[in-house]
Amino acid sequence: MKRVMLTVAYDGTAYSGFQVQENAKTIEGELNRCLSGLFSEDIKVIGASRTDAGVHALCNVAVFDTNARMPGEKISYALNQRLPEDIRIRRSKEVEADFHPRRCESRKTYEYRIINSQFPLPTKRLYTHFTYIPLDVIRMQAAALYLVGEHDFKSFSSIASQAETTVRTIYDLQVKQEGEEIIIRVTGNGFLYNMVRIIAGTLIEVGKGRWEAEYVPDILNALDRTAAGPTAPARGLMLTNYEFL
């Protein structure tokens, strides 16, 4: 028996998130199905980040155990022949038998992308959130600074979250503009359910001028989901980097 780690990229548009759900198509479900068929074993992967429905990833991580004799680094080639074209294994390798991606100290980086123009761009409709209301990036940057560091992010977590603690650390949070596209890039040690999308929704409200940047500390202190902005649509969010420390 050996444990293999997969680095998984996917377009989440057609999926109900990463984690297996009954009567729903998920990334984890497709990995389980294709791996079980490949090795003629009942294989269940363990995912590092349980991304929401419609969220994309360049580098999510999953591990599984197998008796297969195929070298770990070759599994990506064989598995990609079976997976649907919107899921690809970018890397596979054998790891220690007790390696568990959710029990390791790590840093994750997400990007939330917004098209801010008079009209949406059809070619980016699946990977960006569109708003025609002009956004003030300077104001958004100022608001973002208040979220950097260790805080209780209860106000930025969906009420459906079952996390044991809502304290998280954000190492870096930047807002940049590239032409008509605004990119919110956040790196942290972990994120609560819908946390990045609520951060994005809150920064968008600041960018629209509905809130001052200085209101963000009040949102944190409220420890109340209703104090923060709306949950931004899933399609604009992508997991872009996963680093084990």
Side-chain angles (χ1 to χ4, degrees), residues 84-100:
E85 62 182 1
D86 50 6
I87 305 175
R88 280 295 174 267
I89 308 303
R90 301 183 66 187
R91 193 175 302 108
S92 61
K93 67 176 183 178
E94 188 171 349
V95 293
E96 297 295 326
D98 61 350
F99 175 79
H100 193 298

Side-chain angles (χ1 to χ4, degrees), residues 110-231:
Y110 282 91
E111 288 184 359
Y112 194 88
R113 292 179 174 261
I114 305 159
I115 294 295
N116 192 203
S117 61
Q118 186 175 4
F119 301 107
L121 292 175
T123 56
K124 294 192 175 184
R125 72 190 188 283
L126 301 180
Y127 311 106
T128 57
H129 168 53
F130 166 73
T131 180
Y132 65 88
I133 300 173
L135 299 180
D136 188 326
V137 174
I138 301 300
R139 290 168 58 94
M140 295 170 72
Q141 290 170 336
L145 291 176
Y146 289 106
L147 297 173
V148 176
E150 183 180 85
H151 302 285
D152 188 330
F153 283 96
K154 186 174 182 179
S155 294
F156 292 88
S157 174
S158 168
I159 57 174
S161 176
Q162 298 178 349
E164 293 181 4
T165 174
T166 49
V167 175
R168 295 291 187 274
T169 300
I170 289 182
Y171 302 113
D172 189 48
L173 178 51
Q174 299 182 24
V175 184
K176 297 183 177 181
Q177 185 156 13
E178 297 178 359
E180 294 180 329
E181 196 163 348
I182 295 172
I183 304 164
I184 299 170
R185 183 178 295 114
V186 55
T187 300
N189 65 349
F191 297 95
L192 300 163
Y193 185 51
N194 284 344
M195 178 174 161
V196 179
R197 291 166 58 193
I198 296 169
I199 288 174
T202 300
L203 294 181
I204 289 170
E205 293 297 287
V206 173
K208 290 177 178 178
R210 294 178 179 173
W211 289 336
E212 296 296 325
E214 293 76 17
Y215 176 56
V216 172
D218 293 335
I219 298 175
L220 284 168
N221 293 332
L223 302 179
D224 182 349
R225 171 66 188 94
T226 62
T231 304

Side-chain angles (χ1 to χ4, degrees), residues 7-10 58 79-91:
T7 302
V8 191
Y10 48 85
L58 295 178
L79 187 54
N80 280 335
Q81 296 299 313
R82 291 173 172 260
L83 285 166
E85 62 182 1
D86 50 6
I87 305 175
R88 280 295 174 267
I89 308 303
R90 301 183 66 187
R91 193 175 302 108

